[in-house]
Each structure stands twice: as C-alpha cells, then as structure tokens.
Amino acid sequence: MRVDLNADLGESFGRYRLGLDEEVMNYITSANVAAGWHAGDPLVMRRTVRLAKEKGVAVGVHPGYPDLMGFGRRYMRLTPEEARNYILYQVGALYAFVRAEGLELQHVKPHGALYNALVREEELARAVIEGIADFDRKLIFVTLANSPPAELAEEMGVRVAHEAFADRAYNPDGTLVPRGKPGAVIEDPTEVVQRAVSMVKDGGVRAINGEWIDLRVDTICLHGDNPHAVEIARAVRRALEEEGVRVVPMGEFL
C-alpha cells in the first residue's frame, strides 16, 4: 500500500512570509510550488525548488488565477483559451527553476478557487488539462478524488493523482466544505491523523454530516499554513508508516 503526501509551498511573496515550508518539507514527498500568480515570486520559487532538492522531495507546479490580492481564492470567469494558456505559462515559469536545479517536474496541481471550479465546469477542466498536456503529457494532474476532472483527464490520456484532504471537511457529494463555513478546516492534529489513516486504509472518509464517502486516494494534501502544520505533517507520516503504508512520491506509482 502506497500514498504520497503533498503540501502547497512557496507561497511567500516579497517581504511577506507564509507557511512553514522548511519544516513541513521534512515530512512530505511532493511539493506544490506556487508559480507567481496567486503567490510566490522568482526568488521564492527558486528557493523552494532548491529546498525540495535538498530534502529529496518531488516538485510540482501550483498554478492559480492571476490574483495576488485575493490569494487565488476568488473565482474568475476564464475562456478556455485563457485557461489553457494561463496554465502553460505558469508551468513554464516554474519549470525554468526546476531545470536550473537539475530536477524533473512531476505534477501540476491547480490552486484554490481554480481547483474547485474545475469540479463544476467541464469546459474549464478540459482547457486546464490541455494546458498541462501542451507542456508534457507525462505530467501528473492532481485533482479532487473521484471528481469529474479526474475522469476527464483519464479519458484524455493524462495521468491523474486522486487527492484527499485530511484537514478539510467533506460534503456528502465528495466536494470540500467551503472554507468560510464552520468546521471546514480541521485543526485538531489527532483528528487529522485519524482521517489520513482511514483515507488510505479504509478507502474513504466521513462527510460533515456523518455519511461515509468512498474515495480513491493517491495523495493526501497537508496544508502548510495550518497553525499545527508541522505537528500534523510529522504525525500523519509516522502514523501511516506505522500502519505499513509506504509514503513515496506519486510519480513512483502512477
């Protein structure tokens, strides 16, 4: 049994620091690095890629809407042409630093509002997947487990990582509870660890109303901006390994 642990990193910008990248990087196997549109800048991007190289962590791109002010969490209506080229632009930007550090790019995971919009809008999802394929069809597309974008990418011949969130509450339909609602973000480390283990071992999770949801889980996201991020990342990895789960980069088994 294998699973990848990923985190959204490189989200500092200029003088502003966000997240606990160096500490969290010790426990994950894949890093989603911001490409400068919702967060990050050239210095942060290179520093984060270099840190991943030092820690032996696989690198992926974390592209979002062009929305620094809103941290990419505000919905934007895009044409398919815009979406496709916005993705290609950001993948290419981070790839420059990946190439400079002698690494390979592993995956692409859309950020924030864009990530959620893909679940609802097939045309947008298709354009994003086309943008990934334009750069390299071997890249892994990371998206919400059991979601329409995952099925679409598989139909289009692009590798998919089904992603679960141990620190986020789920609706009964398998979507994430919006951050603005009570209970959407789970901060209790013990509960997060229990959910992560259940996702992998039992193949699912309890929704916010108590219903059981079956999930295919290839990778689990651990948010680096959670107040207990380091504690949670350390505990999740230890618990999974104690249960006999191999924690390895998604590229090793997808």
Side-chain angles (χ1 to χ4, degrees):
M1 191 174 295
R2 297 168 294 187
V3 75
D4 172 76
L5 294 180
N6 77 77
D8 306 339
L9 303 175
E11 293 183 320
S12 297
F13 180 78
R15 296 178 61 188
Y16 301 96
R17 298 295 300 273
L18 179 66
L20 301 166
D21 291 10
E22 292 188 17
E23 295 89 344
V24 171
M25 197 86 81
N26 289 317
Y27 305 105
I28 62 171
T29 45
S30 295
N32 319 310
V33 183
W37 276 22
H38 76 277
D41 62 39
L43 296 178
V44 172
M45 290 162 72
R46 181 147 199 177
R47 183 165 63 244
T48 308
V49 171
R50 185 172 289 158
L51 179 62
K53 180 179 181 179
E54 292 172 1
K55 302 287 186 178
V57 172
V59 176
V61 187
H62 199 35
Y65 288 129
D67 181 27
L68 278 175
M69 289 290 288
F71 195 64
R73 288 183 176 161
R74 299 182 293 190
Y75 173 76
M76 298 177 69
R77 185 175 296 279
L78 303 180
T79 67
E81 182 181 14
E82 288 172 331
R84 183 172 183 169
N85 288 303
Y86 285 4
I87 293 298
L88 183 59
Y89 181 93
Q90 292 177 82
V91 172
L94 189 75
Y95 178 70
F97 297 105
V98 170
R99 177 70 179 272
E101 293 297 329
L103 300 177
E104 295 294 329
L105 200 58
Q106 175 185 251
H107 66 279
V108 179
K109 174 187 168 181
H111 165 80
L114 177 60
Y115 183 101
N116 293 326
L118 301 186
V119 178
R120 305 185 303 268
E121 301 180 27
E122 181 178 342
E123 189 176 45
L124 178 65
R126 183 178 299 276
V128 165
I129 296 164
E130 287 173 342
I132 295 170
D134 284 342
F135 186 85
D136 187 347
R137 189 170 289 276
K138 295 189 296 294
L139 290 174
I140 299 170
F141 170 51
V142 180
T143 190
L144 191 65
N146 298 28
S147 66
E151 297 177 5
L152 181 60
E154 289 168 351
E155 291 173 7
M156 295 171 65
V158 172
R159 290 194 293 170
V160 179
H162 290 249
E163 181 178 40
F165 295 79
D167 59 359
R168 291 290 305 277
Y170 279 78
N171 292 310
D173 64 357
T175 59
L176 299 178
V177 174
R179 281 179 175 268
K181 292 190 175 182
V185 179
I186 300 165
E187 297 184 357
D188 176 23
T190 300
E191 185 177 357
V192 175
V193 170
Q194 291 173 344
R195 288 166 66 86
V197 172
S198 179
M199 286 172 169
V200 179
K201 298 276 288 187
D202 303 324
V205 69
R206 292 285 174 192
I208 197 165
N209 67 349
E211 291 183 24
W212 179 259
I213 308 170
D214 289 321
L215 296 175
R216 169 182 163 181
V217 180
D218 299 315
T219 183
I220 296 175
C221 179
L222 301 173
H223 286 105
D225 58 348
N226 186 301
H228 305 287
V230 179
E231 177 186 355
I232 288 172
R234 181 191 305 115
V236 166
R237 178 147 190 173
R238 180 188 301 122
L240 287 169
E241 291 178 338
E242 287 176 350
E243 290 289 332
V245 178
R246 292 183 58 223
V247 182
V248 295
M250 63 183 81
E252 292 191 14
F253 60 90
L254 293 177

